[in-house]
Amino acid sequence: GENVEQHPSTLSVQEGDSAVIKCTYSDSASNYFPWYKQELGKRPQLIIDIRSNVGEKKDQRIAVTLNKTAKHFSLHITETQPEDSAVYFCAASSGNNRLAFGKGNQVVVIP
Amino acid sequence: DVKVTQSSRYLVKRTGEKVFLECVQDMDHENMFWYRQDPGLGLRLIYFSYDVKMKEKGDIPEGYSVSREKKERFSLILESASTNQTSMYLCASSFRGPGGYTFGSGTRLTVV
């Protein structure tokens, strides 16, 4: 089955700087890649996703890039703010209705 | 606003008890999932269901069973609760095909 890995496990950034989280996946048939944000004590929420027919997608301060050849995709957060502090999960799906999740990254934005 | 509702936010049960965790979604989603979340281990899939009365094992099904008698409801059953099942349990649902999940708020279960 699909195996998704995230790096780094913890990321600390100064407020206003950019944060980048990278995920790799193993199944070349995977075609859908969502990112979830989980604030402390809350449910994971979908913040952005990308399908394999595009290489990049942006939504205000967040963007996701996909490199199908290398089988990795990344989340970019620009101009980080304290409310960006959370655990971020990446996931991949090869069309079988099931997402394989990474273990999550703790992002800490230092004011 | 679309919703996935889990019946309990916090639950404390005794070792050996049979425990029912309920999840209801109002989005007419075909797929429903049960995960447990533990520090450092991420989200681990217990069971999932693609349709009413259908169920498939996830990565860690031992000690659990599920029931899906109606499309909107997916129940997780701990047959005989043990202390190593103390965890946060998250329900999720989605439409058929590759797409994002909507998660419930979670049930924090403590087995004493």
Side-chain angles (χ1 to χ4, degrees):
Chain A
E2 175 64 276
N3 182 47
V4 177
E5 295 192 0
Q6 284 184 248
H7 302 280
S9 59
T10 303
L11 178 64
S12 295
V13 296
Q14 288 292 137
E15 183 177 355
D17 287 351
S18 295
V20 181
I21 306 168
K22 181 178 174 178
C23 285
T24 59
Y25 61 99
S26 60
D27 187 351
S28 56
S30 287
N31 56 11
Y32 175 70
F33 307 91
W35 284 90
Y36 288 83
K37 175 184 179 183
Q38 187 178 28
E39 296 176 69
L40 190 63
K42 296 190 176 180
R43 72 184 78 189
Q45 291 200 299
L46 179 68
I47 56 172
I48 195 167
D49 56 13
I50 192 168
R51 297 186 187 271
S52 58
N53 57 346
V54 297
E56 183 176 2
K57 184 176 179 181
K58 286 184 180 180
D59 184 3
Q60 299 181 350
R61 293 188 298 108
I62 60 172
V64 57
T65 58
L66 172 65
N67 183 327
K68 289 189 292 183
T69 304
K71 289 191 283 188
H72 68 71
F73 56 112
S74 300
L75 179 71
H76 305 254
I77 308 172
T78 58
E79 300 173 20
T80 53
Q81 300 168 6
E83 54 264 38
D84 295 328
S85 294
V87 176
Y88 292 82
F89 292 95
C90 64
S93 171
S94 54
N96 61 355
N97 297 289
R98 177 178 166 176
L99 290 174
F101 285 90
K103 285 187 166 46
N105 291 94
Q106 175 73 59
V107 173
V108 178
V109 179
I110 303 165
Chain B
D1 191 21
V2 294
K3 281 187 180 174
V4 177
T5 303
Q6 294 183 230
S7 54
S8 302
R9 191 78 175 95
Y10 298 95
L11 213 50
V12 180
K13 295 291 182 182
R14 294 195 180 277
T15 302
E17 277 193 78
K18 191 169 186 175
V19 181
F20 293 85
L21 302 183
E22 305 287 345
C23 176
V24 177
Q25 51 96 3
D26 65 0
M27 295 165 285
D28 203 33
H29 283 169
E30 291 87 6
N31 304 329
M32 296 188 76
F33 307 85
W34 275 106
Y35 288 85
R36 65 176 282 177
Q37 184 174 26
D38 301 287
L41 298 179
L43 297 163
R44 292 185 292 167
L45 182 63
I46 305 170
Y47 266 96
F48 57 108
S49 170
Y50 293 149
D51 203 346
V52 176
K53 296 193 185 296
M54 291 183 65
K55 60 184 179 183
E56 292 201 30
K57 292 180 180 179
D59 300 318
I60 52 164
E62 296 78 20
Y64 303 95
S65 63
V66 289
S67 172
R68 193 163 181 204
E69 296 296 318
K70 294 185 177 181
K71 188 176 185 180
E72 66 271 19
R73 185 181 297 271
F74 193 36
S75 303
L76 179 69
I77 304 155
L78 285 67
E79 298 292 344
S80 177
S82 64
T83 54
N84 63 10
Q85 292 178 310
T86 291
S87 186
M88 170 66 82
Y89 289 87
L90 287 163
C91 175
S93 68
S94 73
F95 286 115
R96 189 165 289 140
Y101 294 176
T102 301
F103 283 90
S105 296
T107 295
R108 184 164 294 282
L109 173 68
T110 303
V111 182
V112 297

